Amino acid sequence: MQTSDRPLNISSNLTLPNRTASVSRRTGETDVQVTLNLDGIGQCTAKTGVPFLDHMLHQIAAHGLIDLEVQATGDYEIDDHHTNEDVGITLGMALHQALGDRKGIVRFGHFLAPLDEALIQVALDFSGRPHLSYGLQIPTERVGTYDTQLVREFFVAIVNHAKLTLHIRQLDGINSHHIIEATFKAFARSLRMATEVDPRRAHTIPSSKGIL
């Protein structure tokens, strides 16, 4: 088989779509607004009224290279559950909107994130089929004022509304803060990988079925 010595230019005609979204969601319990740009530089403004959640949203933006603005108010006098869940729902909706028909994306993403003694593996697929496999064993009930059970609820909300398959595995870790933060960092890097545009199929949907 003959091969050409000419370099293959696969990106000369590649133009990125406007992969941004702005979503508002208001209920009797919360009021949430999320704006994002998948092709950002990692800028983040997060004001949810839940400080630890704000910290984790900054991890998603910084390590996913997503520009992210999140504003939320909620029924904090009860607890942080509704706000945490509804931020996840609205962020998932924004991801789904920004990706559109998912044409041209890599689709799959994976990352192994260490944070001191903690080691977390995340793999995801923008499959159109919501599924969460959650394997964290967080040893304490709280990090600061944040209920660690809310980590799972946040990812359930994202999975259902971004329509993605997500697997989270804890390979090591004894410090709750390290385990959770490594999870968000691994998720962010996996998200970045999966949503990158593949120049070899920038104008087609990454599925043998032709639809996601």
Side-chain angles (χ1 to χ4, degrees):
M1 182 176 67
Q2 291 184 338
T3 60
S4 171
D5 292 330
R6 291 182 301 170
L8 179 62
N9 186 349
I10 58 177
S11 60
S12 58
N13 296 319
L14 177 61
T15 57
L16 292 176
N18 181 20
R19 304 198 306 164
T20 62
S22 186
V23 177
S24 296
R25 185 174 188 272
R26 186 176 220 172
T27 72
E29 298 163 340
T30 65
D31 187 358
V32 182
Q33 295 87 40
V34 172
T35 299
L36 64 79
N37 176 8
L38 288 175
D39 302 301
I41 58 174
Q43 296 178 331
C44 183
T45 301
K47 297 179 180 178
T48 68
V50 183
F52 189 76
L53 179 59
D54 290 347
H55 181 43
M56 294 302 102
L57 292 170
H58 276 272
Q59 305 311 308
I60 292 176
H63 296 284
L65 287 182
I66 296 170
D67 289 343
L68 183 61
E69 294 182 22
V70 183
Q71 302 280 340
T73 57
D75 52 356
Y76 311 114
E77 70 280 3
I78 297 174
D79 63 11
D80 295 336
H81 184 104
H82 296 142
T83 305
N84 177 88
E85 181 179 33
D86 287 1
V87 168
I89 289 172
T90 312
L91 178 56
M93 293 168 65
L95 286 169
H96 182 64
Q97 183 181 112
L99 285 170
D101 62 6
R102 310 188 183 198
K103 187 178 291 184
I105 66 169
V106 173
R107 174 178 164 179
F108 299 95
H110 61 89
F111 199 77
L112 191 64
L115 180 54
D116 296 348
E117 90 298 340
L119 185 62
I120 304 297
Q121 182 183 53
V122 167
L124 60 81
D125 173 15
F126 275 95
S127 60
R129 299 183 301 277
H131 174 81
L132 174 64
S133 181
Y134 180 85
L136 297 187
Q137 299 293 326
I138 304 173
T140 64
E141 292 183 359
R142 293 189 178 276
V143 174
T145 61
Y146 186 78
D147 181 350
T148 55
Q149 288 185 327
L150 297 183
V151 177
R152 185 181 186 280
E153 298 308 312
F154 180 83
F155 284 112
V156 167
I158 284 194
V159 160
N160 285 337
H161 293 272
K163 300 186 186 303
L164 64 88
T165 297
L166 175 62
H167 289 258
I168 300 171
R169 290 287 177 269
Q170 180 178 329
L171 304 182
D172 208 346
I174 58 174
N175 180 282
S176 297
H177 190 134
H178 293 167
I179 292 166
I180 298 169
E181 186 167 333
T183 299
F184 275 81
K185 287 177 176 176
F187 173 73
R189 288 298 298 262
S190 300
L191 186 67
R192 176 181 168 187
M193 180 187 295
T195 58
E196 290 284 349
V197 173
D198 183 346
R200 293 179 63 190
R201 59 177 174 199
H203 305 294
T204 60
I205 291 171
S207 171
S208 59
K209 299 187 297 291
I211 189 171
L212 287 172

